[in-house]
Amino acid sequence: NYPLYIRSIPTENELKFHYTVHTSLDVVEEKISAVGKALVDQRELYLGLLYPTEDYKVYGYVTNSKVKFVIVVDSSNTALRDNEIRSMFRKLHNSYTDVMCNPFYNPGDPIQSKAFDNMVSAMMVQVC
Amino acid sequence: MEQGPGTVSGGGFISLSENEQRCYSDLYTLCQADSSGKLAASKVGELFRASQLPADTLHQVTELCGAKRLGYFGTGQFYVALKLLAAAQSGFPVRLESIKSEMPLPRFVGMKNDAEVLRYPNHSQNTESQGLHLGKPSVTIAQPSLDRNALKRTESLGDKQEPWSPLRSPPSSPSSSSNQDKPLSYTYRKQWSSTEQLTASYESKHPSRPLFRQEVSSPSNYGSKSSLTHSSVTQARSVERSAEEGSADYHDDPWRITEEQRDYYTMQFKSLQPDVSSLISGSVAKNFFTKSKLSIPELSHIWELSDVDCDGALTLLEFCAAFHLIVARKNGYSLPEKLPQTLQPGFLQIDAVSPKTKRDGAFLGSYSELVPPSQQQKEPAHSEQWEAINELPRTPEPLIVFKDDSRTAPQETNTVESTYPPLSDISTPKQEPRIDSCMSAFSPKRNPAFKDTSAEHKHLENTSAAKTDPPQELDLQVKSRTRQRSYSSTSIGDAMKKVEEPPTPPPRPQKTHSRASSLDLNTIFQQSSQGYKGGWLPPPALPPRPLAAQIPHFVSSTETTSQQKPVRKLNFADFSKFSEEEENAVKNDAQGQLGKAAGSSEERSSLKKDILPAQPPLKPIRRKYRPESQNLDNQDPTPPLPPPSSFSAPGTKPHPPVQKQSSRQKRAIQTAIRKNKEANAVLARLNSELQQQLKEAHLDRIALETRLDQLRPVSYS
């Protein structure tokens, strides 16, 4: 359970985001296991305030291959709607599959694809 | 391109003339300044070396300009360094004071960008006018692309006219520096980003084919200017320049694939995947490109760029683009962020259509032309490399060997192309007629004798038939290649596989036997195979009899030679009972006729001989490594035993018809007993052998399981 890719734009509280993501992993796992019968839900949204003080939202998304995407956004950004988050996850997933297509990419390696980076940056800029 | 600052940070203030500013800024961009203003040390080093100053001078320059202090070349340092270089070249001592005054521009030889720098100030006036003229026609040619780059062009045109015109001058004056054209294009390319692919490159495609006589038409590209210089420059140098020039197939555009390159790539593609219209899978391509010894991230990046449809596989066009990018990278070009337009499949598709038609006839011609100059030069290096490389990648991809070679040698396209075609076609059974008639001749020859050096010679002969000059140089390489190929292509070549297929099934059982080194097994196999059509273990119940019967049959086979009529009678009598069984259970062609149990020492001796002939027909697949003698030895102990006993037994019972029945029965029983004993012995031995094999299989399994365990955590992470 280590991050393949982590990026934060608005602020450079890298460490904090790392921590947040890690803690959110637990919740994601919990959600996955909860689904039990049905196969892993293609997209699961986790919306909620993890810490009342922090006031940011963490969204989770799990692919069929158990790769988890976590998005952390400031709650001050109220314009973000569910659909937007979904589309963001969809884009992430698509980019991730593109990265996977690359035979030189070994699953489990940190993602170094520039295309992926660009896509993520563009997405984040779009949101913020 | 930044206008050279008039001041220098590290080395104090120096004033740069306009020319110098232009020149230096060009050089600056050439040296790949990154965002922070630092220059790539490698490029700077190259530039300095190109100035043809002694090393200590260069060191002095470096120190003076402050790069050593800072640890990198910043703008200021670079400019100071350039000035110092100029000073040094002019004979002035390398001192900061020297550069205070106006200096001629430094001269760089062998540097990508140098020629222009050189001519820069000198011809500025003359060439300006020329350049303008040049620029115009080129611009007109570049019309299709103009729309794309028009904006850029127009604005930069003003700026670039001058620089380009000087560039033009270098071609006019045969420059000594080698890679001028390339640096030029390279520089300008860099400036104009990789997205500049101008459709003007079309023109370049056509003329480019004949030789590297580059595309005078390419001018439209990047700059028309640089390309113009290219063309002239390349003409002057292309042929000799093999190594550097080899990469000069980029001529005006490193991201444009020339005819030769395209053909080369296509051939490579075919060697990987005979069907040109289908895809190369990711893993295959990965193996192939890994051979190019580029780092994985770079390869990953190249893949991302070239696999436009992101399907994990490469079409021919995608493959060409990827290959081209690798070649470019190997030549020192940095990878673009985005796939250059000329490398995109749509573009390549268009390109492929037109040139291809022309290609066939002239291809070989151009090939041979290209080959000799490049060949001669790179010959020794290549053959060495190839030889060396041949040993290393014993992979199913013969191309990879080539690729390695091409990668290591700067000459790449030239020699590699020339050598590749004959070699690459070897492995692919299908040969497009257009590629090389000789090649098609190769493949069929190649396949059957894949490990045969004679095949290589054939290749060589064929190659020589096709090309006069190249063959000699090619031969060495071909030899090394083909040799390599013989090993490597076996796994790929379909024909190879076919060749392998028939032998494999039969040897398999044999191998196990050989592993067990059980001669008995062989004999048993033979016997049982005769009786049971390849049944592995002779079923215990019936076989003993037939087996036992076989043994005497074998033995008795010898008897045919030995004339023993009375014995024969007995044998017939003896085995009349068993003949039925034989017919039922055993289908022994060879032994059917033999029904004798009589045996003697003579038989034994003759038995040996006869067993020999009996064995081979029975065991058509028997390997040579299982020497007949062994079989014989094997046979000897076993058969001689029964024969004497069986034969003696009947021998004691003579012909009295009175005792016929009883004796027959006795004999029958005795023979049955004997046979059973024999069968037991044989089966016991077989059992032990199989146990041994089982142990070995267990060991293998354990090894595989441990390996799987090692891999498992990775897959789960």
Side-chain angles (χ1 to χ4, degrees):
Chain A
N1 269 338
Y2 51 89
L4 292 181
Y5 185 83
I6 196 150
R7 199 72 152 330
S8 54
I9 284 222
T11 52
E12 291 302 337
N13 305 349
E14 194 92 30
L15 194 56
K16 186 182 107 181
F17 288 130
H18 271 271
Y19 174 67
T20 314
V21 167
H22 265 283
T23 52
S24 61
L25 280 180
D26 284 336
V27 186
V28 174
E29 283 287 337
E30 175 195 324
K31 296 241 171 179
I32 291 181
S33 53
V35 181
K37 289 173 191 165
L39 228 38
V40 174
D41 203 1
Q42 217 243 342
R43 29 225 330 285
E44 52 126 51
L45 286 184
Y46 169 66
L47 174 66
L49 299 175
L50 288 187
Y51 307 107
T53 54
E54 294 289 354
D55 201 11
Y56 54 80
K57 303 191 178 85
V58 181
Y59 295 89
Y61 179 98
V62 175
T63 70
N64 290 329
S65 53
K66 300 277 194 278
V67 178
K68 303 164 190 68
F69 295 109
V70 179
I71 297 184
V72 180
V73 287
D74 252 348
S75 285
S76 54
N77 196 347
T78 53
L80 275 182
R81 292 191 316 275
D82 188 52
N83 281 338
E84 290 172 13
I85 304 287
R86 284 182 193 268
S87 68
M88 279 169 67
F89 274 127
R90 218 176 307 129
K91 276 197 265 182
L92 271 178
H93 197 172
N94 287 335
S95 307
Y96 181 70
T97 49
D98 288 345
V99 168
M100 277 297 174
C101 279
N102 190 332
F104 298 107
Y105 172 75
N106 300 317
D109 288 349
I111 296 179
Q112 282 156 352
S113 151
K114 290 211 183 95
F116 191 80
D117 287 346
N118 295 339
M119 192 279 307
V120 172
S121 310
M123 216 169 62
M124 293 208 271
V125 164
Q126 191 185 21
V127 168
C128 315
Chain B
M1 170 156 101
E2 52 176 293
Q3 297 305 318
T7 64
V8 170
S9 54
F13 291 128
I14 32 174
S15 57
L16 298 178
S17 70
E18 197 185 322
N19 281 345
E20 287 176 318
Q21 280 187 11
R22 272 199 306 268
C23 162
Y24 291 175
S25 51
D26 287 344
L27 292 172
Y28 184 75
T29 46
L30 172 67
C31 291
Q32 296 178 350
D34 65 11
S35 56
S36 66
K38 299 182 196 169
L39 294 177
S42 58
K43 290 290 178 188
V44 176
E46 246 181 276
L47 192 67
F48 284 8
R49 274 189 292 279
S51 65
Q52 292 185 335
L53 291 174
D56 53 359
T57 313
L58 294 177
H59 284 312
Q60 267 185 312
V61 168
T62 318
E63 283 174 29
L64 275 177
C65 73
K68 282 254 172 83
R69 234 183 324 125
L70 292 174
Y72 63 85
F73 271 99
T75 313
Q77 287 76 39
F78 186 66
Y79 285 23
V80 175
L82 289 176
K83 273 218 124 168
L84 289 171
L85 285 174
Q89 280 174 344
S90 313
F92 289 95
V94 180
R95 290 278 182 276
L96 280 177
E97 299 77 17
S98 322
I99 61 176
K100 301 280 186 190
S101 55
E102 189 79 18
M103 280 283 133
L105 288 179
R107 273 175 284 284
F108 298 97
V109 179
M111 187 55 194
K112 295 180 173 200
N113 202 359
D114 310 338
E116 64 197 358
V117 175
L118 200 40
R119 313 313 193 241
Y120 218 100
N122 304 335
H123 307 272
S124 54
Q125 291 180 354
N126 297 334
T127 53
E128 271 178 24
S129 52
Q130 291 175 20
L132 284 170
H133 293 312
L134 290 173
K136 279 175 194 163
S138 57
V139 167
T140 55
I141 295 173
Q143 252 181 7
S145 52
L146 269 182
D147 55 341
R148 198 184 318 241
N149 301 309
L151 295 178
K152 267 192 190 170
R153 279 303 155 74
T154 48
E155 51 190 353
S156 48
L157 263 179
D159 295 344
K160 297 303 170 187
Q161 281 296 344
E162 282 188 356
W164 292 329
S165 49
L167 291 180
R168 186 66 183 86
S169 57
S172 50
S173 58
S175 52
S176 56
S177 62
S178 33
N179 285 328
Q180 292 183 7
D181 57 328
K182 196 148 55 116
L184 281 180
S185 57
Y186 181 67
T187 318
Y188 289 115
R189 198 175 323 100
K190 290 212 66 148
Q191 295 168 3
W192 303 35
S193 79
S194 52
T195 58
E196 299 240 18
Q197 336 304 334
L198 298 182
T199 53
S201 41
Y202 273 117
E203 286 97 348
S204 59
K205 269 283 187 201
H206 302 298
S208 69
R209 187 165 52 78
L211 270 181
F212 284 146
R213 289 331 156 88
Q214 213 25 307
E215 356 296 286
V216 184
S217 49
S218 56
S220 47
N221 215 339
Y222 303 83
S224 12
K225 310 73 176 201
S226 46
S227 52
L228 278 179
T229 56
H230 287 313
S231 41
S232 40
V233 170
T234 50
Q235 282 170 14
R237 268 170 281 139
S238 57
V239 178
E240 304 95 31
R241 198 60 63 93
S242 50
E244 307 313 319
E245 248 51 47
S247 30
D249 28 290
Y250 301 109
H251 276 305
D252 57 325
D253 176 3
W255 308 124
R256 167 165 303 271
I257 302 181
T258 66
E259 283 297 325
E260 294 83 2
Q261 288 180 315
R262 176 180 284 278
D263 291 330
Y264 176 45
Y265 301 154
T266 313
M267 269 177 285
Q268 297 284 353
F269 184 93
K270 289 218 206 81
S271 75
L272 289 178
Q273 166 70 272
D275 182 6
V276 187
S277 63
S278 71
L279 305 168
I280 290 184
S281 72
S283 49
V284 167
K286 175 181 176 179
N287 289 337
F288 181 73
F289 289 136
T290 312
K291 304 288 181 147
S292 70
K293 295 193 179 144
L294 284 180
S295 66
I296 295 291
E298 286 182 3
L299 289 172
S300 175
H301 186 59
I302 287 176
W303 177 276
E304 275 177 24
L305 289 178
S306 56
D307 189 11
V308 283
D309 48 5
C310 288
D311 56 356
L314 298 178
T315 64
L316 174 61
L317 300 171
E318 289 174 343
F319 177 82
C320 288
F323 207 123
H324 198 76
L325 286 170
I326 290 182
V327 169
R329 187 79 188 98
K330 279 281 182 175
N331 277 331
Y333 291 98
S334 65
L335 295 176
E337 288 301 321
K338 208 180 68 132
L339 188 66
Q341 204 253 336
T342 51
L343 286 182
Q344 281 172 7
F347 189 83
L348 289 178
Q349 186 89 42
I350 300 169
D351 247 355
V353 172
S354 48
K356 262 186 187 168
T357 53
K358 302 184 195 173
R359 220 187 310 191
D360 307 351
F363 182 68
L364 284 178
S366 63
Y367 235 75
S368 49
E369 285 176 30
L370 289 172
V371 164
S374 56
Q375 281 290 344
Q376 285 135 13
Q377 296 185 10
K378 307 167 205 177
E379 238 277 33
H382 265 305
S383 49
E384 292 166 7
Q385 290 161 353
W386 279 350
E387 288 295 344
I389 291 169
N390 282 342
E391 312 316 315
L392 303 174
R394 288 300 181 86
T395 66
E397 311 268 345
L399 285 182
I400 295 172
V401 182
F402 294 132
K403 207 178 163 101
D404 282 335
D405 221 10
S406 61
R407 294 300 152 269
T408 54
Q411 317 89 354
E412 291 166 41
T413 51
N414 279 345
T415 46
V416 178
E417 279 179 351
S418 52
T419 52
Y420 255 103
L423 296 172
S424 59
D425 288 351
I426 292 170
S427 57
T428 58
K430 300 184 202 171
Q431 294 302 333
E432 280 186 16
R434 78 168 173 83
I435 287 287
D436 304 276
S437 51
C438 58
M439 308 235 192
S440 49
F442 289 148
S443 48
K445 283 185 189 170
R446 189 83 180 81
N447 293 331
F450 59 96
K451 285 203 177 172
D452 192 2
T453 52
S454 63
E456 298 169 13
H457 293 306
K458 282 181 198 167
H459 276 298
L460 299 176
E461 289 164 9
N462 288 336
T463 26
S464 56
K467 305 174 186 178
T468 53
D469 290 348
Q472 292 118 18
E473 285 88 7
L474 279 177
D475 284 1
L476 280 180
Q477 295 146 350
V478 169
K479 247 185 211 159
S480 53
R481 283 297 151 120
T482 50
R483 213 173 300 122
Q484 171 69 17
R485 285 179 151 241
S486 61
Y487 302 125
S488 55
S489 50
T490 50
S491 48
I492 286 193
D494 294 339
M496 311 284 192
K497 287 175 189 165
K498 288 175 197 161
V499 173
E500 288 178 3
E501 274 163 14
T504 27
R508 226 180 284 123
Q510 280 189 5
K511 277 180 192 164
T512 59
H513 287 199
S514 61
R515 239 180 20 191
S517 65
S518 156
L519 301 177
D520 288 345
L521 276 178
N522 290 336
T523 61
I524 290 176
F525 233 73
Q526 230 183 351
Q527 296 163 4
S528 58
S529 63
Q530 296 158 13
Y532 306 98
K533 292 183 179 172
W536 181 270
L537 283 178
L542 280 179
R545 292 253 183 89
L547 270 185
Q550 287 174 21
I551 297 170
H553 287 321
F554 274 123
V555 177
S556 46
S557 66
T558 66
E559 293 184 24
T560 50
T561 60
S562 66
Q563 27 2 11
Q564 289 168 359
K565 293 176 186 178
V567 179
R568 206 173 286 164
K569 271 191 201 167
L570 271 178
N571 291 340
F572 282 135
D574 232 4
F575 285 84
S576 59
K577 224 197 249 179
F578 298 101
S579 58
E580 297 169 6
E581 296 173 36
E582 295 167 28
E583 282 154 6
N584 296 340
V586 179
K587 296 173 189 176
N588 291 333
D589 308 333
Q591 298 123 7
Q593 48 186 344
L594 323 168
K596 321 97 183 182
S600 62
S601 57
E602 298 172 337
E603 287 178 0
R604 248 175 264 168
S605 54
S606 57
L607 180 133
K608 288 179 193 175
K609 300 172 201 167
D610 290 340
I611 291 221
L612 235 183
Q615 290 271 0
L618 298 174
K619 293 190 203 179
I621 306 164
R622 260 323 135 198
R623 294 282 145 169
K624 307 146 200 167
Y625 59 72
R626 187 122 331 263
E628 301 295 344
S629 56
Q630 287 178 353
N631 290 338
L632 274 183
D633 294 339
N634 222 4
Q635 297 280 346
D636 273 347
T638 53
L641 286 180
S645 57
S646 60
F647 297 153
S648 57
T652 54
K653 309 281 171 116
H655 320 291
V658 179
Q659 295 175 342
K660 226 186 189 178
Q661 284 188 349
S662 59
S663 67
R664 200 203 309 173
Q665 284 171 358
K666 266 193 191 171
R667 216 179 310 132
I669 293 169
Q670 281 166 353
T671 22
I673 292 172
R674 171 179 39 87
K675 286 178 193 171
N676 286 338
K677 283 185 187 165
E678 283 305 316
N680 284 345
V682 166
L683 285 175
R685 225 174 303 186
L686 174 64
N687 190 23
S688 61
E689 294 298 340
L690 288 174
Q691 287 291 339
Q692 215 170 330
Q693 289 174 27
L694 180 62
K695 282 181 197 165
E696 290 178 30
H698 273 307
L699 287 175
D700 290 343
R701 185 183 149 212
I702 290 170
L704 284 172
E705 278 181 356
T706 50
R707 270 177 38 202
L708 180 65
D709 285 336
Q710 288 169 9
L711 292 171
R712 197 167 291 161
V714 177
S715 62
Y716 279 161
S717 64

